Amino acid sequence: MKKIFLGALTLAFSSSLFSQNVTILDLSSLEPLQEVVIHTKDSSIIQHSNSKGKFDVEAFKNVDSIYLYKSGYEPTSTTYKQLEADKFMILLTEEAHILDEVVFSASKFAEKKNDVPQQIQVLKAKDLQFMNQQTTADVLQSTGNVFVQKSQMGGGSPVIRGFEANKVLMVVDGVRMNNAIYRGGHLQNAITMDNNLLDKAEIISGPGSVVYGSDALGGVIHFYTKNPQLADSSQKVNMGAGAFVRHATTNQEFTQNINLNFGFKKLGFLTSFTHSDFGDMRQGERRNPFYEDFGKRKFYAQRINGKDSMMANSDPAIQKNTGYKQVDFMQKVLFKPNANQSHLLNFQYSTSSDIPRYDRLTEVNSAGVLKSAEWYYGPQKRLMGAYTLSLDKANKVYDHAKLILAYQDIEESRHNRNFGSTKLNHRVEKVKVLTLNLDFNKQIGKNEIRYGAEITHNKVNSTATQENINTGASVPLDTRYPGNGSTMQSLAAYITHTYEFSPKLILSDGLRYSHIQLNSKFDTTFFPFPFTEITQKSGALNGNLGLVYMPGRDWRFAVLGSTGFRAPNVDDLSKVFESTAGKVIVPNAELKPEYTYNAELSISKIVASTVKLEATGYYTWYKNVIATGTSKFNGKDSIMYDGALSQVITQMNKNNAYIYGLQAGITADISKKFTFASTINYTYGRVKTETVDVPLDHIAPVYGKTSLTMKIKKFRGEFFVMYNGWKRLKDYSNSGEDNLIYATANGMPAWYTLNLRTGYQFNKYLHLQVALENILDQSYRVFASGVSAAGRNLVLTLRGTF
């Protein structure tokens, strides 16, 4: 017995001593690849790489070939002899187009992207890192499939299929970011989501109201932040750290980030902190010869010896009063007692310095004098705390279940002072949001059923004061939203269903009912409203029906019919504010929900296994459009507001509209090293009237992106062109939302930029990124924006991973 024990001990020791691990890495980034499937041709031996990208090759020592597969990477094979020659290291190359890519946003559970009739774009963590953008708004614009408007450098309002602001739903980790005061004009809330925290982002184009409810008219942008990484069977503790520092020349950006992961077998912690400091933005010097002065910042306001003065800008290309600072923090705690259950605590906080409202600071009156001496947003704060319970053990009710309980505390404010005035207005809005989401899925034969419920509660508090900047004295001021408070609640239930007739033919359908209630209590001190309280209840039934047909691996056809809705929120129903100079919006108690009815067809074709062509055409009927129109207050069409006689306008369900468009793209593996990609988007929207149809607001001109990417060992580079077509004067909406006052007399000129970005991985610890954006130093402005885009910009980033 003693000899047998010693023999077994010797065998175990020798096996441990001589076992050989192979490391699998990404070709360009040298990132360890987890969950790579390693198998023999007959699959008699199967292994998976661990979190460090390693697997034990001893079991494959005597087989003819070793095959490796991971979604998103080119399948490859090797031999034991070749592995010895390669020092037991395998480098995998990413695919340009992924046939079996998995998405979560379409139904809140994992499903193959090819099986989903909706148009979805996925941005993975490595893509986000390579984009290396300053804000999440810039990330969205860099896709070439999302249009982004900016009123100031510290912002960015995404537009999808002609819908913007409160008609595009943003979600983070399953929690709605849209709240009761998301406005219909241009929103800047996207920057409160730190793109350095993201594991991926999924962009759904078209109505998403069946799964997500109100606001998802144009689409859904779902952000998924990184989770703690636990220790696997080969580790006691999974420790990791990362950091980077970035500098950009066009606005003297300095950004630093540090993130720490500490994971045991069942308990993990992830911490991330980002600090950004942005100076004033320099626009391009190469100007359109027909609009030499367009966008120049010739004068700016400065208070000298107690008096406002217009100061000549020594360099008109520098957009004075655009800089700001921002801090983002995330802490996650993951507890996974077993393979079927997990508990996740998710804490996120974002805040900024004051952010100057650049477009308003450039406006002048008929005498050429600046209208505003000060106009800035106060610190934009977003706090979220969420608990997520995930259950993956199948029973009669569900196979997978998820509960998310979240609390959000949002604060934003507006501060403005007219040029020459001593009165500084302060308006502060605070929103507290509670949400509860329950989501389940169940597989029954060929049927996959997903169902759930959502409850939300918004509480809005609005305060306002007017400060005398000379004396410091403050007096009450009319608030943007009802001073006595507003609440908004929603209760919804949904069910979606997928039936797989065969791997070639998949049917999807779904229904959702939403009930929304809003209550606002008005202070009549400043405005003698004919009412002191508004209570509104509304309900909506939404549905979708889609069919995907894949006759072979080369062709894919998808047809989809879907509906969307957006219930009026506190901003729509109850606000009083100056929308544009000389126009003041007043409440409308009769406002009703708006609806969309959408039909779309998608076709894709893979040619010679290397080229993918795809196109999606859509048509949207837009009913009960909420838009501003002239009105009266107490029988008068003009009232005094902020010291000036202003025309009365209000939000109303004004007419119906239609939008149609096309998104097309191509990706091609030119070789194992080079990939070509191009996308283009066209949108057309009109409001129907009794005579001639007029332009709908927020309709972007033709835009897109074309790129050539190279990937070799340790290196990735991309040369790309971003472009926008003309937005002619005749295509501008007369609502004022398209901001014609910040364009040329003929509209917004077409533009394009040439750009280059590169990344080199010195070793597994150190990564250097160098980018040169807007190489030709073009001076341009994006449609509807009130600030010019960045000029030639050199970006240097050094990353460390430990």
Side-chain angles (χ1 to χ4, degrees), residues 546-557:
L547 191 66
V548 176
Y549 177 54
M550 295 173 284
R553 289 177 60 85
D554 297 341
W555 283 100
R556 180 182 181 273
F557 301 88

Side-chain angles (χ1 to χ4, degrees), residues 422-426 465-476:
T422 60
K423 298 175 181 179
L424 176 59
N425 300 325
H426 305 281
T465 57
Q466 188 176 79
E467 174 191 357
N468 186 308
I469 60 173
N470 287 337
T471 66
S474 292
V475 295

Side-chain angles (χ1 to χ4, degrees), residues 762-774:
F762 290 97
N763 51 49
K764 65 179 181 178
Y765 302 112
L766 199 61
H767 183 72
L768 175 66
Q769 290 179 262
V770 180
L772 188 60
E773 301 171 340
N774 194 1

Side-chain angles (χ1 to χ4, degrees), residues 149 155-158 164-166 170 181-183 185-190:
Q149 179 276 349
S157 187
E164 187 186 355
N166 57 18
M170 292 191 293
I181 63 170
Y182 265 39
R183 57 190 179 273
H186 307 294
L187 277 177
Q188 316 305 324
N189 301 69

Side-chain angles (χ1 to χ4, degrees), residues 259-401:
N259 55 85
L260 304 169
N261 184 88
F262 195 81
F264 297 98
K265 300 289 185 183
K266 298 181 179 180
L267 184 65
F269 302 87
L270 176 63
T271 305
S272 179
F273 177 82
T274 303
H275 176 267
S276 297
D277 189 341
F278 306 103
D280 289 334
M281 175 75 77
R282 186 187 69 82
Q283 59 188 290
E285 299 278 10
R286 186 180 177 184
R287 298 184 175 277
N288 188 316
F290 297 99
Y291 310 99
E292 286 284 353
D293 288 341
F294 177 56
K296 285 185 177 180
R297 178 73 151 141
K298 295 182 178 180
F299 299 96
Y300 62 96
Q302 185 172 331
R303 194 163 182 82
I304 302 174
N305 296 324
K307 182 180 179 181
D308 291 331
S309 302
M310 286 179 61
M311 307 297 293
N313 190 1
S314 59
D315 185 353
I318 300 296
Q319 299 178 96
K320 286 280 190 180
N321 305 118
T322 48
Y324 71 102
K325 298 178 182 180
Q326 184 164 328
V327 170
D328 295 281
F329 174 77
M330 182 180 77
Q331 177 65 61
K332 282 190 174 182
V333 181
L334 173 64
F335 176 57
K336 193 168 185 177
N338 54 60
N340 303 318
Q341 183 184 138
S342 69
H343 306 263
L344 180 68
L345 295 178
N346 183 355
F347 176 83
Q348 299 176 19
Y349 180 69
S350 176
T351 188
S352 68
S353 65
D354 293 338
I355 301 178
R357 176 72 187 266
Y358 181 80
D359 56 355
R360 293 295 183 92
L361 293 173
T362 63
E363 291 183 17
V364 296
N365 60 24
S366 58
V369 178
L370 291 170
K371 291 182 178 180
S372 297
E374 298 181 72
W375 214 123
Y376 59 92
Y377 292 108
Q380 188 161 286
K381 301 176 182 179
R382 180 182 70 89
L383 181 148
M384 185 185 85
Y387 164 72
T388 301
L389 169 66
S390 297
L391 302 172
D392 295 320
K393 189 173 182 179
N395 55 45
K396 292 182 179 181
V397 178
Y398 61 81
D399 295 334
H400 307 281

